[in-house]
Amino acid sequence: MLKQYFKNIKNASTSIFEGLAVTLSYMVRKPITIQYPDRIEKPLPEMLPPTFRGILEVDTGICTVCMACMKRCPLDTIYIESERDPETRKNYLTRFDIDVARCMVCGLCTEVCPTGAIRHSTEFDAVTSDVINLVMRYVQPGDKIPAYKVSKEEEPPGVPQNEPYCRLKKQWDAPAPLQPDEVRGAVRWKKQTSKQEGR
Amino acid sequence: MSRMAVETLDNESTIVNMGPQHPSTHGVINLRLQLKGEVIEAVDPNVGFLHRSIEKIAELTQYTGFIPYTDRIDYLGAMFGNMGYCMAVEKLLGVEVPRRAQYMRVIACELNRIINHLIACGTMSMDLGAFTPFLHGIREREKVNDMMEKICGARLNYNYMRFGGVSLDYMPGLDKEILAFLDRFERFLPEFNRLITGNEIFVQRLLHVGVIPKETAIHYGLGGPNLRASGVDFDVRRDYPYSVYPEFSFDVVTGGHYPGECGDSYARYMVRIDEMRQSARLVRQAVEGLPEGEYLAKVARNPVPPKGEVYSKVESVRGEMGFYLVSDGTDKPYRLKVRTSSFCAMSVMPEIGPGLMVADMTAFFGSLDVVAPEVDR
Amino acid sequence: MNITFPDIVFVILAALILGCGAIVAYSRNIVRAGFSLLGAFAGVAGLYFLAQANFIGAAQILIYVGGVLVVILFAIMLTRGIAQAHSTNPRQMVIPATLMGLISAAMLITIALYFPWRLRPDAPVATVHSLGNALLDTYLIPFEFLSLLLLAAMIGAVMLVRKEIKESGKEESR
Amino acid sequence: MKYLFDSLTANWNLSPWMTTLALVLWVVVITAGVLVFMATFAGFTSWVERRIAGRMQSRIGPNRVGPFGGLQWLADGLKCFLKEDVIPKATDPVLFRLAPYLVFPGGFAAFAALPFGYGIAASNIDIGIFYITAITSLVVIGILMAGWSSNNKWSLIGGVRSAAQIISYEIPGGLAILTVVVLAGTLNMHELVVAQGGWPWHWFIFRNPFTFVAFFIFFASILAEGNRTPFDLPEAESELVAGYLTEYTGMRFLFFLFTEWANVWVISALLTTLFLGGWQIPGITDLGATIAAATSLGKWFWVLLSVAMFFIKTSALVFLVIQIRWTLPRLRVDQLMIMCWKYLVPMGFVTLLGSAIFLVLPREGAWAWFHLSVQGIMTLIGFAIVAGLIGRAWYNIHALKDRISLENWL
């Protein structure tokens, strides 16, 4: 009984001592905080591994208009329209919209793409004043982009393995105009230039 | 039973709502407590605040399209949702998973178990008033999260597994990175123990609190660390072996040899701490023995399994996670039932809760490691 | 009449004590009545400080505010439904109470006016020292008797409470 | 600081009324000075605490407002003042409004008797330490009032817990105070410091083994009275949402927190004064005589040096208090009471008795050597504990193969 009493006192004091020593030791260790967004060496998308599943981006130049991604998406995030020229019997891509606000970045669409036209960028901070601005429009209204044909001899371009991949920026720097009825936010989301300059 | 008790209360008791906006309920869970002074007379766990009808979604989605949803069942142990569901569909389809993919799955799952238990132990210490251990846990978890980005591309909702394998092969050098993390982690755990586990206040807060006897644990269908802490030597990985777990050596941690009682909150906490060690051991074995080969078997893009039903279970971080899948021969499941252990853990509260104090309740609740979305699905 | 600064302070303190006392007596909200005791106790402590009796003043705060008042408030708060109780004492005793009050007031005033108060030039300075000496030297035996009485009271209280727990029984056995 | 006032007004030949008025004015000025110190310190501590907590948790903490984030407390304070003052409908409006203003003087009035340096105290009253113990019990009433008037069950539990805790822990705290008071033979804060000396082995904490234990008893009980972790049950955020603070917003909320942070200083200053030699300067046996002998510039030098000594010691304890808060988990209510009544109170009696025995031991001849060696051994033990802590911290860094880095330290 009395032994237990003094044992409790001893346990309490030694364990508190050990705990204090641990917290004290962290006073002189390096914190692991990354001071996103302004106090980092380079923009965070460039620090992420190439496997990172960020916002979807599309290279319409190599899109075969197979619509596999549209069918695969569990959330109907992707909307593709195509047009067949009756004379030349060629396929044209007339619309390729991705609702980034609805996308859950599961990555299923990129896996079915035969050419790697749709893929994840390492961008993730799609901050905007209006959620409509997050509808990414990869084909300008009225444009017709000929569908890419996979040739037997040539390998499809595919995703360059293990290489940071941020072609999306270009899309955002020169955003496609929205339809008049869709324009609700004043400015479509633009990447802040100050962030790239760094501080 | 508990609801009745709450409604026929006498004048001496107070009813308080613990949650859904309460700091210690870890998500949107409501516990109605009937208090006499600070002692709890009855507990009424009120679930359903986070119900997203995931089982119904499964009936409307193609088989492959449902994989990302399994992340959302238990967001802290997303790998296990992936694994259980993929195993169920693979069983239906009769797909053989390549050995390399199996190893990669095991590595991912066990890393996931480590980081989940880090969070569980951290939040538990936070419930008891110590904030620092929680952030130390989070810090180590962050390292795994960074690796998870390389393994599968996401930090929380992994969506890593596919029917017949995994979605991505390893980046070069990733296995070395995992081993380096394990080296650090094995040194980190003793420090974590010095900081909080051995702390006398912490120990005294947990000893003999919320004791779940062996029989009760079995009757309520508890799983995982909660079940093993009560002295039931059961682990799906060992007793119903799946994947390549039989090829590795690991111990099933059970309560009973810790200070205090078998099945008290401290035992549950310590089982988690020791399971992290076992998981690190498993990951090390798997990384060192990682075979070469395919990481994804050839499976149809939109698989249509034959008619039939199948049940597959995995040892999730919170215990047995089962997927009961009925196929009617179309490309969408006819019915999917997910069996989760958090729900069982919530159901044991009215039985164990009375007699605890309010402060014990947070300790007990923390030690059960309930995750709200897994309760409601 | 020569008004000095201590006089003003005295009047303020007296007003505080009387005002708070009135709230205690007449407030229909028993919790507020309890809390306004704080003003009365603090005022009395202020009077002690004014009379240079620092130790007694601090003791007044420590014991009455920190101890007695807290216990009173405990009792009030832990009584169920007390916040809704909006009546103070029953009204039938108004006349006797007034009579009693008047008589005692008259007595006090008479004493205050006609008692030959003496002003001592040699007011005690170090109050703690003299108090300590008085308690542990001059009045040691009464002091020890008082302690014994308090001890007995305490043991009695503990015994009463223990009995109750034993009766109410099994629930607390965990 | 009455002596300063007396020396100032000595040759002004004021009438009694004017003297009184001047005295009132003087008190107001002193009060304002202490208030400003307390406000600045409380705010500053809130920043320091967050920075220290940040480092301990491998974070950085607030570092954006002002240099190193040092003005964060001003920003937060301003924010709190500008916030809407929400008073829920079901509260008791009078008591709800009044409670913060009752808690505040409890913390503030303690500053009046703290000796910040030689002769630097707002009031050098005869019963200093007793006065502080008494006046801090005002806080209980405020907290009870806040807890009850909020009309919230969590608040009420918090308030009742707080009251039970504070009145319980006054007993071991008082016993520990008595342990040193018996040695010094006075309740006056100034004389308590004078009874100690400059070097560590002259401090009361190392005077004998019993005062050494009494130091920790006092530390624990005053932490409990100040509602600091591991005794922060009244506002245990994981159990009671925020305890008695739950319904408070904006400025009133700030008043509570303000008092709490000011209390950190009171805790540390009391410990310094009672156990760690207060403002005593190592090497100076009689500071009063030294100052009396010095030139007018020298007087200032010595006084400022004594203030600096006091601040160094107190700041170290402030750090310790903050470190303890961010290290330890919280006790349960019954464990809190067990710790008080089964551990601290009996130990307090033992220390009081033991210290009294040491007091009646003779001090001549061989006994002087005995006392000196006891003091020396206790000092060595004390320093061994500190050294052990640092060594253990060193071991922790190396066990994880981390490197020492002071990046983002400030």
Side-chain angles (χ1 to χ4, degrees):
Chain A
M1 185 67 192
L2 203 64
K3 211 173 154 190
Q4 183 66 34
Y5 184 85
F6 286 110
K7 208 180 141 203
N8 284 348
I9 295 175
K10 184 182 147 272
N11 280 351
S13 34
T14 48
S15 63
I16 287 171
F17 176 83
E18 286 286 355
L20 289 179
V22 171
T23 45
L24 186 69
S25 75
Y26 275 92
M27 290 302 292
V28 291
R29 293 195 214 183
K30 195 180 163 194
I32 60 150
T33 306
I34 295 170
Q35 300 197 57
Y36 177 79
D38 56 343
R39 292 188 191 169
I40 42 181
E41 299 101 47
K42 48 184 179 177
L44 206 54
E46 289 172 27
M47 294 160 77
L48 291 169
T51 50
F52 183 76
R53 298 206 303 259
I55 295 169
L56 286 169
E57 63 177 343
V58 179
D59 184 354
T60 45
I62 53 170
C63 177
T64 60
V65 206
C66 65
M67 301 200 184
C69 52
M70 186 170 124
K71 287 175 202 146
R72 168 51 60 87
C73 183
L75 292 170
D76 300 339
T77 304
I78 305 167
Y79 186 71
I80 305 172
E81 270 176 12
S82 69
E83 221 175 74
R84 184 176 278 263
D85 195 320
E87 288 169 24
T88 53
R89 320 200 73 206
K90 273 180 98 174
N91 254 342
Y92 288 96
L93 185 63
T94 55
R95 186 165 174 181
F96 201 123
D97 290 355
I98 298 177
D99 190 350
V100 172
R102 204 140 45 113
C103 176
M104 62 174 173
V105 285
C106 61
L108 292 176
C109 53
T110 60
E111 281 162 26
V112 293
C113 187
T115 57
I118 184 166
R119 61 189 85 164
H120 289 286
S121 66
T122 51
E123 297 280 342
F124 56 89
D125 49 352
V127 182
T128 161
S129 57
D130 193 338
V131 77
I132 195 76
N133 296 347
L134 286 175
V135 178
M136 291 292 156
R137 180 151 295 176
Y138 289 96
V139 180
Q140 313 251 338
D143 267 15
K144 281 184 178 179
I145 296 170
Y148 180 79
K149 268 248 163 56
V150 185
S151 62
K152 289 263 159 59
E153 300 87 52
E154 219 182 321
E155 279 282 302
V159 187
Q161 280 288 311
N162 304 324
E163 189 182 294
Y165 188 75
C166 302
R167 214 182 300 161
L168 201 55
K169 269 186 213 152
K170 263 183 261 160
Q171 288 282 338
W172 286 336
D173 287 341
L178 287 174
Q179 302 283 2
D181 58 325
E182 287 171 344
V183 179
R184 279 200 276 129
V187 192
R188 189 166 164 162
W189 181 61
K190 255 184 108 174
K191 262 189 83 55
Q192 284 175 7
T193 43
S194 64
K195 206 180 95 179
Q196 277 133 358
E197 286 160 14
R199 270 193 218 177
Chain B
M1 162 254 159
S2 64
R3 188 169 289 270
M4 289 300 288
V6 167
E7 265 152 25
T8 58
L9 80 163
D10 56 307
N11 273 343
E12 294 293 302
S13 314
T14 324
I15 289 184
V16 292
N17 274 304
M18 201 169 184
Q21 294 180 19
H22 188 279
S24 79
T25 48
H26 305 214
V28 206
I29 290 171
N30 179 0
L31 297 174
R32 292 173 84 213
L33 308 179
Q34 182 183 325
L35 301 180
K36 194 163 199 170
E38 283 219 28
V39 180
I40 293 168
E41 289 186 319
V43 189
D44 179 15
N46 197 356
V47 300
F49 285 87
L50 217 57
H51 188 71
R52 295 148 301 158
S53 52
I54 276 185
E55 289 171 7
K56 189 68 191 169
I57 290 174
E59 296 168 20
L60 307 172
T61 323
Q62 290 170 352
Y63 279 95
T64 319
F66 187 67
I67 303 175
Y69 286 100
T70 58
D71 294 335
R72 273 100 179 147
I73 294 172
D74 173 6
Y75 59 88
L76 288 175
M79 276 305 172
F80 299 94
N82 279 198
M83 180 106 177
Y85 177 67
C86 287
M87 274 167 54
V89 179
E90 279 156 10
K91 232 186 242 182
L92 268 180
L93 291 170
V95 175
E96 185 75 21
V97 183
R99 267 179 68 77
R100 182 175 171 83
Q102 297 276 29
Y103 270 68
M104 287 161 82
R105 281 181 174 188
V106 168
I107 294 169
C109 281
E110 294 307 318
L111 281 178
N112 197 177
R113 195 185 305 276
I114 290 177
I115 61 178
N116 173 75
H117 284 352
L118 276 177
I119 287 248
C121 296
T123 46
M124 191 164 166
S125 66
M126 197 163 71
D127 286 347
L128 301 184
F131 199 73
T132 304
F134 171 66
L135 281 160
H136 283 200
I138 286 281
R139 187 189 63 224
E140 298 307 312
R141 178 176 187 265
E142 206 58 20
K143 297 189 165 65
V144 182
N145 275 352
D146 286 348
M147 288 188 318
M148 282 296 191
E149 265 175 9
K150 291 175 184 166
I151 291 174
C152 62
R155 300 169 74 85
L156 195 68
N157 292 317
Y158 305 121
N159 188 22
Y160 181 46
M161 306 198 186
R162 299 286 180 272
F163 308 137
V166 295
S167 68
L168 262 175
D169 205 352
Y170 277 170
M171 284 170 69
L174 190 59
D175 43 354
K176 287 200 183 62
E177 201 177 320
I178 295 174
L179 289 178
F181 166 76
L182 291 179
D183 286 342
R184 182 189 160 83
F185 184 72
E186 276 155 14
R187 290 194 301 271
F188 164 76
L189 262 189
E191 188 194 87
F192 190 77
N193 288 348
R194 279 201 296 278
L195 176 59
I196 187 72
T197 312
N199 191 300
E200 186 69 7
I201 301 174
F202 187 74
V203 175
Q204 291 299 330
R205 279 293 301 275
L206 297 178
L207 287 185
H208 309 290
V209 166
V211 182
I212 304 179
K214 199 170 179 175
E215 290 72 33
T216 316
I218 294 170
H219 288 168
Y220 278 86
L222 294 190
N226 297 341
L227 180 71
R228 288 192 283 275
S230 295
V232 184
D233 191 8
F234 175 77
D235 190 318
V236 181
R237 289 176 292 176
R238 186 196 60 194
D239 298 330
Y240 296 89
Y242 59 92
S243 196
V244 284
Y245 277 109
E247 296 177 19
F248 303 126
S249 67
F250 65 99
D251 298 329
V252 175
V253 186
T254 52
H257 53 277
Y258 300 115
E261 266 169 90
C262 189
D264 66 358
S265 299
Y266 188 67
R268 282 191 284 279
Y269 176 86
M270 283 310 290
V271 163
R272 291 207 170 82
I273 291 277
D274 285 347
E275 263 188 21
M276 279 196 268
R277 288 211 178 88
Q278 297 302 328
S279 289
R281 211 174 131 194
L282 273 167
V283 174
R284 192 180 286 280
Q285 290 173 45
V287 172
E288 278 166 359
L290 187 66
E292 293 295 317
E294 283 288 303
Y295 67 93
L296 187 59
K298 285 261 180 288
V299 177
R301 184 180 283 181
N302 187 14
V304 183
K307 265 188 186 173
E309 53 191 73
V310 69
Y311 181 74
S312 86
K313 57 186 167 193
V314 289
E315 180 69 22
S316 142
V317 280
R318 267 161 270 283
E320 180 187 328
M321 185 188 244
F323 285 83
Y324 179 67
L325 187 63
V326 183
S327 160
D328 57 354
T330 60
D331 64 341
K332 290 171 183 166
Y334 175 73
R335 173 83 172 93
L336 177 73
K337 166 87 182 90
V338 188
R339 186 249 186 241
T340 54
S341 286
S342 281
F343 186 75
C344 302
M346 284 294 282
S347 68
V348 82
M349 296 207 116
E351 171 98 11
I352 306 296
L356 298 179
M357 297 177 88
V358 178
D360 287 338
M361 195 64 197
T362 59
F364 175 55
F365 192 71
S367 75
L368 285 177
D369 188 24
V370 169
V371 163
E374 205 196 2
V375 176
D376 300 332
R377 272 136 22 233
Chain C
M1 196 172 167
N2 191 14
I3 299 171
T4 56
F5 185 67
D7 290 343
I8 298 173
V9 177
F10 175 80
V11 169
I12 293 172
L13 285 174
L16 179 72
I17 296 168
L18 285 179
C20 288
I23 296 177
V24 174
Y26 293 114
S27 174
R28 307 205 119 212
N29 183 333
I30 191 164
V31 180
R32 284 194 197 170
F35 276 117
S36 55
L37 265 179
L38 170 68
F41 289 150
V44 173
L47 282 186
Y48 287 135
F49 281 122
L50 192 67
Q52 302 274 304
N54 287 346
F55 185 80
I56 314 275
Q60 162 84 11
I61 291 181
L62 184 67
I63 293 164
Y64 280 92
V65 175
V68 173
L69 181 54
V70 171
V71 173
I72 290 176
L73 289 174
F74 249 57
I76 292 174
M77 284 179 184
L78 297 181
T79 312
R80 198 177 172 80
I82 201 88
Q84 281 78 43
H86 280 308
S87 65
T88 49
N89 301 320
R91 289 208 163 235
Q92 67 264 32
M93 301 293 276
V94 169
I95 298 166
T98 322
L99 264 174
M100 282 299 291
L102 282 177
I103 289 168
S104 47
M107 270 170 66
L108 285 172
I109 290 169
T110 323
I111 292 169
L113 288 182
Y114 295 104
F115 189 80
W117 300 102
R118 270 185 302 145
L119 279 177
R120 279 183 61 180
D122 55 334
V125 188
T127 49
V128 192
H129 279 276
S130 44
L131 250 165
N133 281 334
L135 282 181
L136 292 178
D137 197 353
T138 326
Y139 302 107
L140 182 61
I141 292 173
F143 177 71
E144 289 299 332
F145 265 117
L146 273 179
S147 330
L148 213 64
L149 189 70
L150 281 176
L151 188 68
M154 206 162 82
I155 292 170
V158 170
M159 285 305 290
L160 286 174
V161 174
R162 279 191 76 85
K163 206 173 170 190
E164 205 153 88
I165 286 177
K166 217 176 270 172
E167 273 168 12
S168 67
K170 303 280 188 281
E171 287 170 39
E172 265 84 1
S173 65
R174 198 193 73 89
Chain D
M1 289 214 160
K2 182 81 168 22
Y3 71 95
L4 213 63
F5 174 77
D6 287 343
S7 64
L8 267 176
T9 53
N11 35 18
W12 285 5
N13 290 326
L14 295 170
S15 68
W17 257 106
M18 286 307 287
T19 315
T20 311
L21 269 183
L23 192 61
V24 169
L25 208 67
W26 178 249
V27 168
V28 168
V29 167
I30 295 282
T31 313
V34 174
L35 193 62
V36 165
F37 172 77
M38 174 189 171
T40 327
F41 175 80
F44 192 68
T45 310
S46 77
W47 172 70
V48 167
E49 170 153 24
R50 288 162 68 185
R51 286 307 293 249
I52 292 176
R55 281 303 293 208
M56 283 172 184
Q57 299 164 350
S58 294
R59 297 186 286 119
I60 296 173
N63 67 343
R64 298 289 167 130
V65 189
F68 309 113
L71 295 179
Q72 182 73 40
W73 59 279
L74 267 182
D76 288 347
L78 206 63
K79 182 197 78 175
C80 272
F81 273 108
L82 294 177
K83 281 214 164 187
E84 186 191 355
D85 185 17
V86 181
I87 296 173
K89 217 172 186 177
T91 54
D92 186 321
V94 179
L95 298 181
F96 188 79
R97 288 188 172 92
L98 194 63
Y101 308 116
L102 270 183
V103 172
F104 186 69
F108 172 60
F111 276 80
L114 292 179
F116 289 89
Y118 185 84
I120 310 284
S123 165
N124 183 23
I125 56 173
D126 192 29
I127 48 156
I129 183 67
F130 188 67
Y131 160 80
I132 289 177
T133 339
I135 207 78
T136 43
S137 60
L138 263 182
V139 177
V140 195
I141 306 291
I143 288 174
L144 260 178
M145 201 183 261
W148 189 82
S149 66
S150 293
N151 199 6
N152 177 324
K153 287 159 187 166
W154 299 119
S155 295
L156 182 63
I157 296 178
V160 172
R161 270 186 183 187
S162 166
Q165 173 181 329
I166 294 178
I167 55 176
S168 300
Y169 272 83
E170 262 171 16
I171 294 162
L175 285 170
I177 289 174
L178 272 184
T179 310
V180 292
V181 164
V182 160
L183 286 179
T186 174
L187 292 171
N188 186 311
M189 300 287 266
H190 178 81
E191 286 167 30
L192 270 166
V193 177
V194 170
Q196 305 172 59
W199 294 109
W201 51 89
H202 293 139
W203 298 348
F204 275 146
I205 176 175
F206 301 132
R207 189 58 68 85
N208 59 48
F210 298 102
T211 45
F212 189 71
V213 176
F215 172 78
F216 293 102
I217 294 174
F218 188 57
F219 203 162
S221 34
I222 202 158
L223 278 181
E225 282 183 56
N227 289 339
R228 296 282 301 183
T229 316
F231 310 103
D232 64 339
L233 297 107
E235 48 196 283
E237 81 280 346
S238 59
E239 295 154 26
L240 306 181
V241 188
Y244 59 90
L245 294 169
T246 308
E247 300 290 349
Y248 279 91
T249 51
M251 205 179 81
R252 285 170 220 283
F253 179 73
L254 194 66
F255 262 91
F256 283 108
L257 286 193
F258 200 61
T259 316
E260 201 185 307
W261 278 311
N263 228 338
V264 176
W265 179 266
V266 176
I267 289 169
S268 315
L270 275 181
L271 283 163
T272 310
T273 312
L274 292 182
F275 289 95
L276 300 183
W279 38 256
Q280 291 275 20
I281 304 161
I284 309 289
T285 34
D286 191 352
L287 192 60
T290 316
I291 287 177
T295 58
S296 65
L297 204 67
K299 278 191 176 71
W300 278 109
F301 169 75
W302 287 115
V303 169
L304 284 179
L305 195 62
S306 71
V307 172
M309 284 309 297
F310 181 79
F311 267 74
I312 290 168
K313 289 172 187 171
T314 310
S315 308
L317 281 173
V318 166
F319 176 80
L320 185 62
V321 169
I322 290 173
Q323 197 195 353
I324 284 176
R325 167 161 184 187
W326 293 101
T327 306
L328 298 182
R330 183 184 304 122
L331 290 150
R332 207 199 306 150
V333 161
D334 56 333
Q335 290 167 349
L336 186 86
M337 290 300 157
I338 285 173
M339 182 174 163
C340 178
W341 295 104
K342 287 194 182 165
Y343 290 87
L344 295 184
V345 170
M347 275 157 71
F349 277 119
V350 170
T351 56
L352 180 57
L353 202 67
S355 203
I357 288 169
F358 260 83
L359 192 69
V360 296
L361 288 180
R363 300 199 142 263
E364 299 84 32
W367 282 104
W369 283 106
F370 169 74
H371 284 289
L372 209 60
S373 53
V374 165
Q375 289 174 19
I377 289 165
M378 291 322 293
T379 315
L380 282 181
I381 289 174
F383 278 89
I385 288 174
V386 175
L389 198 67
I390 292 168
R392 199 71 183 146
W394 183 265
Y395 166 79
N396 278 324
I397 294 172
H398 281 262
L400 222 59
K401 292 191 179 164
D402 274 350
R403 271 179 292 115
I404 290 178
S405 151
L406 295 180
E407 207 171 304
N408 287 314
W409 211 85
L410 259 173

